Amino acid sequence: MSPKLERHLLQPFICSRCQTQRHSPFLPRSRTFATSPAAHTVSSSTPKYLQLTNRTIIRLVGPDAANYLFNLVPARLLGTGSTKPIYTAFLSAHGRILNDVFIYPPLDSTSEEWYVEVDAESASDLLKHLRKHKLRSKFQLDKIDPDKMGVYYSWPSDTEIGGSTGRIGGQDPRPGMGTRWLDGTSSKPETLQRLEEGGGQAVTLQEYTIHRMLNGVAEGQTELPTANSLPQESNIDFFGGIDFTKGCYLGQELTIRTHHTGVVRKRILPCQLYDEQNPPSSGQTTPEYKPDLSLPMPPSQSNISKLNARGRGRSSGKWLSGVGNIGLALCRLEMMTDIQLTADTANYDPNEQYKVQWDVDGEEGKREIMLKPFVPQWLREGVEQNLRRKERKVKPRREEDDYEDVD
């Protein structure tokens, strides 16, 4: 083999696009990090779809399945006439979230088959919980093999799938979200083929997570820790997952008492991480995902405090989860946002900055990154509606209203 040919074979392949960027000093160069999706992103107006491989389906079949679910979750499942998925949660006796779920009603009113979609990592725990309360109820309970049926999702939300097309599913009830449905996984579903033919693009699970976090929507037990999260703090009441007029269900006492006599001082908000070199732009009202920005990712439950706080101080919230420079955090509304829940003087300062701190093994001191929370319009409207209903704007704060505080 000639030396020239040998050198040619040993050279790595470089596509024409990258060759152009490499030889042109005028074209911008971008870096892709492990926390970023593929560099070739899809237009925001292009329909996107994927299979949610991090979700598992549990099936309940039998004459008592509907009433059984109705008596366990805070959402109203019966008498709605809707076949769209219902986002709600199974609660503990103390009103804490065990699992946030989607419940899929039957397409036919005569059917006795209900489906529950849950975080795959905690599906076994939910199955034990359901069997524990089954007693003599007449229905069969099983976890569906992911090789036979899976959960699919597409957005924007104007994509009509489910219900009228004979698919189990429909519009995701959470603000800013798209459509989710159940379908077979043994071969490519017909719905996905139709989306492809219409110009839709397959995306990754990480891109779905980014889409969800930008809308301020938490999902799964990584972001809603089992037996630790309250449904109102997790915004499930704003997603239609709690009916405050229905009868008894597990965890009802604290949920109803908080709704009628308490104040929800903390809620999950979308946040943006940044450093001194990459601060959010002035007047920015929503988080902005920057795939080329490399920042340290705080571990879940890391403490949030004021940037210039001395000593331990009072915690402003807890970091939950994130991707790249965006994520979700449980935030004190009156401290970190301009929302005022009572007639008392608020602690909010629009010029205040916040940081997330956490310990790292083998390092002295704490590692930290700056954080900015944002209030989605749907959350602001929901809080204002609650305040008008309670007429608490002119009432002073009472000590008994503080049910739960962030440590």
Side-chain angles (χ1 to χ4, degrees), residues 2-19:
S2 65
K4 183 177 180 180
L5 179 59
E6 184 176 3
R7 286 195 304 271
H8 173 73
L9 293 175
L10 291 175
Q11 288 178 349
F13 172 75
I14 303 176
C15 69
S16 58
R17 178 175 178 268
C18 295
Q19 285 275 13

Side-chain angles (χ1 to χ4, degrees), residues 10 27 179 253 317 372 376 390:
L10 291 175
L27 292 176
T179 307
E253 183 179 355
K372 180 177 177 61
K390 295 181 179 181

Side-chain angles (χ1 to χ4, degrees), residues 196-309:
E196 285 183 0
E197 294 171 357
Q201 294 285 340
V203 296
T204 64
L205 186 60
Q206 183 169 267
E207 289 176 271
Y208 164 77
T209 304
I210 294 170
H211 157 69
R212 181 170 54 76
M213 288 184 171
L214 288 174
N215 284 294
V217 174
E219 183 178 282
Q221 275 43 79
T222 300
E223 300 165 14
L224 304 173
T226 299
N228 186 45
S229 306
L230 291 172
Q232 284 102 320
E233 291 181 349
S234 306
N235 301 320
I236 293 180
D237 53 338
F238 293 161
F239 301 155
I242 304 176
D243 185 346
F244 295 103
T245 63
K246 67 174 287 187
C248 295
Y249 55 86
L250 192 63
Q252 180 194 29
E253 183 179 355
L254 178 63
T255 305
I256 293 296
R257 189 170 75 241
T258 302
H259 176 70
H260 289 294
T261 65
V263 176
V264 182
R265 301 193 182 278
K266 299 172 295 179
R267 286 190 180 269
I268 293 177
L269 299 179
C271 299
Q272 182 172 327
L273 301 175
Y274 66 98
D275 53 22
E276 294 181 354
Q277 290 74 35
N278 299 277
S281 58
S282 59
Q284 184 177 334
T285 58
T286 58
E288 180 183 353
Y289 177 65
K290 299 179 179 180
D292 295 335
L293 187 61
S294 178
L295 295 173
M297 179 59 62
S300 181
Q301 301 301 310
S302 295
N303 189 61
I304 301 174
S305 60
K306 294 181 179 180
L307 181 62
N308 299 319

Side-chain angles (χ1 to χ4, degrees), residues 96-172:
R96 304 277 178 167
I97 294 176
L98 297 177
N99 302 90
D100 67 310
V101 298
F102 281 92
I103 296 180
Y104 295 81
L107 296 180
D108 186 351
S109 59
T110 61
S111 175
E112 299 176 345
E113 194 170 35
W114 291 71
Y115 294 92
V116 178
E117 173 201 328
V118 64
D119 185 7
E121 294 185 357
S122 58
S124 298
D125 294 333
L126 177 58
L127 206 57
K128 293 178 182 178
H129 178 72
L130 295 176
R131 287 171 176 162
K132 174 183 177 182
H133 294 278
K134 184 177 182 294
L135 301 178
R136 296 183 179 180
S137 299
K138 298 179 180 179
F139 66 89
Q140 295 180 353
L141 180 67
D142 65 311
K143 183 167 65 173
I144 295 183
D145 188 342
D147 293 332
K148 295 181 179 180
M149 179 180 284
V151 182
Y152 294 85
Y153 179 84
S154 68
W155 81 96
S157 59
D158 57 355
T159 305
E160 290 296 334
I161 299 172
S164 60
T165 61
R167 298 285 185 270
I168 300 173
Q171 174 66 45
D172 190 323

Side-chain angles (χ1 to χ4, degrees), residues 338-358:
D338 60 347
I339 294 177
Q340 187 169 350
L341 302 172
T342 66
D344 294 351
T345 302
N347 296 323
Y348 173 67
D349 181 356
N351 298 318
E352 189 71 66
Q353 293 179 304
Y354 294 89
K355 62 184 177 182
V356 190
Q357 288 185 314
W358 66 97

